[in-house]
Amino acid sequence: MAREFNFDGIAGPTHNYAGLSRGNLASLKHGGQLSNPRAAALEGLEKMRFIAELGVGQAVLPPHPRPDVRALRRLGFSGSDPAVLEAAWRLEPRLLVACSSASAMWAANAATVAPSSDTRDGRLHLTPANLSALFHRSLEAEQTTRTLRAIFFDAERFTVHDPLPAGAYFSDEGAANHSRLVTSLGAVHVFGWGRQGFSGTPVEPRRYPARQTQEASRAVAKLNQLTEERVLLWQQAPEGIDAGAFHSDVLCVGNDNTFLCHKSAFVDTQSLLQTLQARLGEGLECVVAGEEDFPVHEAVASYAFNSQLITLPSGEMCIIAPVESERNAVARRFLERVVTDWESVVAVHYIDLNSSMKNGGGPACLRLKIPLTSTERDAISARVFFDGALEHALKGWVARHYRDRLGLDDLRDPELLNQVHTALDELSALLGLGSIYPFQGG
């Protein structure tokens, strides 16, 4: 039996609101506002503490080094680090901002995971996402791969693949477009995709771009050693993407045998559910919301479907939702109906993730779900599993190194870069990860 662990990304010291993510309504709305990196990191740690105290597996993923001076050098800037930052701010400020994003905190985009129980070779597989649809996110793939290989280093039990080749045809957004459902009949991995890279998609979004390609989803499934009967590729609904559901996890969430879904998450929802039912049997429970009872714009605004649906030690489930869902009467009514009508879901808990939500990242965005057997858990020597001692250490680390106010013009400050490198150097040692960052010479 495997226990599911939620690997949450820690908000980085350069957490900011730059409005970089086209199609992400919250990101665009708050672009240019001042941020509070310290508050963002502490909000994330508080969520981790709450989930760990429920008895659910919890772990952490460290931030990436930002500003990404290496990327700026690859784009033609030269000289010392301060000279690169100053020239980038003077000549192409939006480029410096893009190279300073702390978007790696949304760990649902870090990789796609296949547990050892599902794979042909009996190992746990992780394929880091190339995130090639957006420049600032594409910078994450290399560091994510380094970090995951430092944690999941035991080659007998784990395989961390290279990300897919970058480019329009194989654009991969990771677990944010992936759900794993399980009943007594087996497991099915649902891969949401928005467009076909090679042949073109008959119907595509008109307002916002579709990020995930069908070709990427198929390639990831193959890399992760999943058999065909365990894979289901299904197109995201163009109207859902145009409404702001840039990833499928904005309008659906799955856990074990339970699937919460808005009709605007996928095309032909009825056929999708029938296909899932045929593969997984009567043990599958599907909760579907339609436009008449939960308008898609309300679903996107409240992020009710970007909640975490987690299994408690009792075997029952609960929902971890953002407070925005509690404040939205339609969203609150839907979530409470789930608790009332489905015996397997016993509670909904609302948590404050304001700093993340302002960039369009709810509870589900912040975590990468990784099922681990006890043997696999014991094979991980890094100090990434959340407990009281690690919480205390991380809160102290944040207090020492994070600013409580950050504007976009602060990103040119060489002292900020020094602070970030000092912080991450200390953190990598604290977590027992070794020299995982390029600036450490690792």
Side-chain angles (χ1 to χ4, degrees), residues 2-8 47-60 308 310-313 367-372 377 384-387:
R3 181 188 183 195
E4 191 167 87
F5 285 84
N6 295 279
F7 280 72
D8 277 43
K47 177 174 91 77
M48 296 182 219
R49 180 200 62 77
F50 182 80
I51 291 176
E53 289 184 350
L54 290 174
V56 178
Q58 182 65 60
V60 302
Q308 287 178 249
I310 58 178
T311 302
L312 301 169
R367 61 90 177 96
L368 180 65
K369 296 167 62 174
I370 303 181
L372 297 170
R377 163 66 177 82
V384 293
F385 295 101
F386 199 85
D387 57 22

Side-chain angles (χ1 to χ4, degrees), residues 203-223:
V203 182
E204 292 193 11
R206 296 182 178 182
R207 186 177 185 186
Y208 297 123
R211 301 185 186 180
Q212 182 90 16
T213 65
Q214 184 188 60
E215 291 85 350
S217 296
R218 184 176 291 111
V220 169
K222 288 189 289 187
L223 282 172

Side-chain angles (χ1 to χ4, degrees), residues 190-202:
V190 182
F191 288 83
W193 57 271
R195 59 186 173 86
Q196 294 171 307
F198 286 106
S199 60
T201 316

Side-chain angles (χ1 to χ4, degrees), residues 29-82:
K29 177 181 178 181
H30 297 102
Q33 292 187 7
L34 291 174
S35 66
N36 185 334
R38 184 183 301 169
L42 293 177
E43 284 173 2
L45 292 174
E46 179 62 21
K47 177 174 91 77
M48 296 182 219
R49 180 200 62 77
F50 182 80
I51 291 176
E53 289 184 350
L54 290 174
V56 178
Q58 182 65 60
V60 302
L61 291 173
H64 292 192
R66 295 293 184 267
D68 190 340
V69 179
R70 292 173 70 239
L72 291 170
R73 286 199 168 92
R74 289 170 61 194
L75 295 169
F77 294 95
S78 60
S80 64
D81 287 352

Side-chain angles (χ1 to χ4, degrees), residues 176-197:
N177 272 46
H178 168 262
S179 296
R180 177 178 179 263
L181 300 169
V182 187
T183 68
S184 60
L185 296 185
V188 171
H189 294 250
V190 182
F191 288 83
W193 57 271
R195 59 186 173 86
Q196 294 171 307

Side-chain angles (χ1 to χ4, degrees), residues 278-332:
R279 294 199 191 183
L280 295 173
E282 295 302 320
L284 178 66
E285 295 186 355
C286 297
V287 186
V288 181
E291 192 68 19
E292 64 283 354
D293 59 328
F294 199 171
V296 66
H297 72 275
E298 297 277 13
V300 171
S302 65
Y303 261 45
F305 289 94
N306 197 253
S307 300
Q308 287 178 249
L309 184 61
I310 58 178
T311 302
L312 301 169
S314 65
E316 299 169 315
M317 297 185 202
C318 73
I319 298 170
I320 309 297
V323 293
E324 285 77 2
S325 292
E326 183 180 28
R327 295 166 183 162
N328 183 304
V330 179
R332 186 175 67 251

Side-chain angles (χ1 to χ4, degrees), residues 298-367:
E298 297 277 13
V300 171
S302 65
Y303 261 45
F305 289 94
N306 197 253
S307 300
Q308 287 178 249
L309 184 61
I310 58 178
T311 302
L312 301 169
S314 65
E316 299 169 315
M317 297 185 202
C318 73
I319 298 170
I320 309 297
V323 293
E324 285 77 2
S325 292
E326 183 180 28
R327 295 166 183 162
N328 183 304
V330 179
R332 186 175 67 251
R333 185 164 58 247
F334 169 75
L335 293 173
E336 291 174 353
R337 178 169 68 85
V338 173
V339 174
T340 301
D341 294 351
W342 274 263
E343 292 184 3
S344 60
V345 184
V346 297
V348 56
H349 303 285
Y350 298 100
I351 57 175
D352 186 357
L353 293 169
N354 179 259
S355 297
S356 178
M357 285 288 290
K358 288 173 72 174
N359 259 331
C365 288
L366 285 162
R367 61 90 177 96

